[in-house]
Amino acid sequence: MRAMRAEGFRGYQDLKLVDIPKPKVSDGRVLVKITAAGVTPLEHTILSGAYPRAKAPLVLGSEGAGVVEDANGSAFSTGARVMFTGAYGVSEDGAYSEYLAVRKENLSLIPGNIDDVSAAGLPVAYLTAHMALSLAGFQAGKTVLSPAIGGSVGNAVTQLARAMGARHAMSTTTSHTKAEQARTLGFDEVIDLSAGKLGEGVRRITEGYGSDIVIDAIGGDVLSEALSTLAMGGSLTTLGYSAGRKSTIDVTDLIWKRASMKSFSLFSQPPEMWSAAWKVIVALLASGAIKPIVAQTFALEDAAEALRYQIESRPFGRVVLKI
């Protein structure tokens, strides 16, 4: 079968199209014929040699969608359309391939109104968004901020929070063009950082109240600015660092507001959280209350260019490989 494999971790040039054996199913695994794979910043981190757990050669890709070819005694039917994410493309070969043996607990059926390309790019972002919101104590009526409306997590948190009854579901962008695009797509609580400050935007939208919950996948200076928007008793969850691993915070933003700050890692969450998140996400997808946004698709053999586009062009929406 065809696969895009990292032969080393020195950059885009190490991602090569190879012909490798089709995987065999073992206990607890389901053979999936991959139709599309999500492109995430994690693959760029691995390909750049900045993820020590990964060992080359390695087929990349932590999420995807496809059709069950061998159900292997699982509850899934042969021919069923499924989506998945897991430690694929990190500690074992991943979704940048024509077939993958996926753990049955990592699979979810795709609602009939969602195409495979859209489904392939949603598991990591939406599962992360739902679990992070749950652990932060989200309830209907809360105000939520998740910076970067064009990014996967920022967009997923904003959509989920709005669909589940947030009083305000706010996000940001540093681009006026993206701010206009966001409004066209119905995101009317996006703060245009090219025209104003984050804190000022939150105060304007919430009429001075602030953010009950901040889910930050950006890091750097954005984290410290987002922390300053917390309302009394609010919480900030940090789970990414695309804008930088280091940030300087004002501790009074925590102390005076009796606020809290925590971290989140998707693959360390217990199975029951995964099940609960999938249940809510699939129902909201089926109802049309949330809808993943795909910016551009690439062919499997153009995976290096897809990654470059994801990282360097910072598109509004997901980048997906069609296989």
Side-chain angles (χ1 to χ4, degrees):
M1 68 172 188
R2 296 183 311 142
M4 287 299 290
R5 187 170 69 183
E7 302 299 302
F9 297 144
R10 296 165 298 181
Y12 299 119
Q13 71 275 10
D14 278 347
L15 197 54
K16 306 291 186 183
L17 183 65
V18 297
D19 187 12
I20 60 176
K22 184 177 175 180
K24 296 179 180 179
V25 293
S26 55
D27 288 347
R29 301 254 183 168
V30 173
L31 184 63
V32 177
K33 178 175 173 52
I34 306 298
T35 54
V39 176
T40 77
L42 175 60
E43 282 94 72
H44 179 264
T45 301
I46 292 171
L47 198 57
S48 301
Y51 202 91
R53 285 176 53 199
K55 305 297 180 186
L58 178 70
V59 177
L60 301 183
S62 62
E63 64 179 358
V67 178
V68 173
E69 181 162 299
D70 184 349
N72 194 27
S74 71
F76 295 92
S77 302
T78 300
R81 295 170 59 242
V82 291
M83 53 188 170
F84 63 88
T85 187
Y88 313 103
V90 180
S91 56
E92 61 181 277
D93 283 343
Y96 287 13
S97 58
E98 292 182 311
Y99 292 88
L100 189 65
V102 182
R103 296 176 184 84
K104 60 184 180 181
E105 62 268 22
N106 293 152
L107 290 165
S108 174
L109 293 173
I110 301 172
N113 61 322
I114 302 295
D115 62 84
D116 286 13
V117 168
S118 297
L122 75 85
V124 170
Y126 283 86
L127 287 167
T128 294
H130 185 274
M131 292 185 208
L133 283 168
S134 297
L135 290 170
F138 176 83
Q139 295 177 341
K142 295 282 190 180
T143 64
V144 176
L145 168 67
S146 189
I149 191 63
S152 59
V153 173
N155 193 272
V157 170
T158 303
Q159 288 203 44
L160 280 173
R162 186 171 61 180
M164 294 189 296
R167 180 155 58 97
H168 295 289
M170 301 171 287
S171 190
T172 69
T173 179
T174 57
S175 162
H176 183 67
T177 300
K178 284 185 181 179
E180 291 296 324
Q181 187 176 359
R183 280 188 280 272
T184 300
L185 292 169
F187 301 105
D188 55 4
E189 294 187 323
V190 173
I191 301 160
D192 183 354
L193 299 180
S194 69
K197 299 289 188 180
L198 177 54
E200 293 170 356
V202 170
R203 284 191 293 274
R204 172 178 51 80
I205 292 169
T206 65
E207 298 180 333
Y209 178 81
S211 310
D212 290 313
I213 296 171
V214 173
I215 308 295
D216 175 51
I218 306 302
D221 291 340
V222 173
L223 185 150
S224 60
E225 293 172 16
L227 187 69
S228 72
T229 73
L230 287 179
M232 291 294 293
S235 72
L236 181 146
T237 300
T238 176
L239 51 83
Y241 40 83
S242 60
R245 299 187 179 200
K246 295 183 178 180
S247 180
T248 300
I249 68 170
D250 183 340
V251 295
T252 63
D253 288 328
L254 296 171
I255 297 169
W256 292 351
K257 296 175 181 177
R258 301 191 295 278
S260 62
M261 189 173 176
K262 63 186 75 175
S263 62
F264 175 87
S265 175
L266 176 61
F267 298 116
S268 65
Q269 304 309 313
E272 56 269 22
M273 284 206 72
W274 282 68
S275 298
W278 272 129
K279 184 176 180 179
V280 172
I281 291 165
V282 169
L284 291 173
L285 286 167
S287 72
I290 60 175
K291 185 177 181 180
I293 298 169
V294 176
Q296 191 164 329
T297 61
F298 290 80
L300 174 63
E301 58 268 27
D302 295 326
E305 188 56 36
L307 266 174
R308 189 190 301 274
Y309 176 70
Q310 170 77 48
I311 298 301
E312 297 179 11
S313 297
R314 297 181 178 272
F316 192 118
R318 298 307 316 279
V319 178
V320 177
L321 300 179
K322 297 176 72 174
I323 301 172

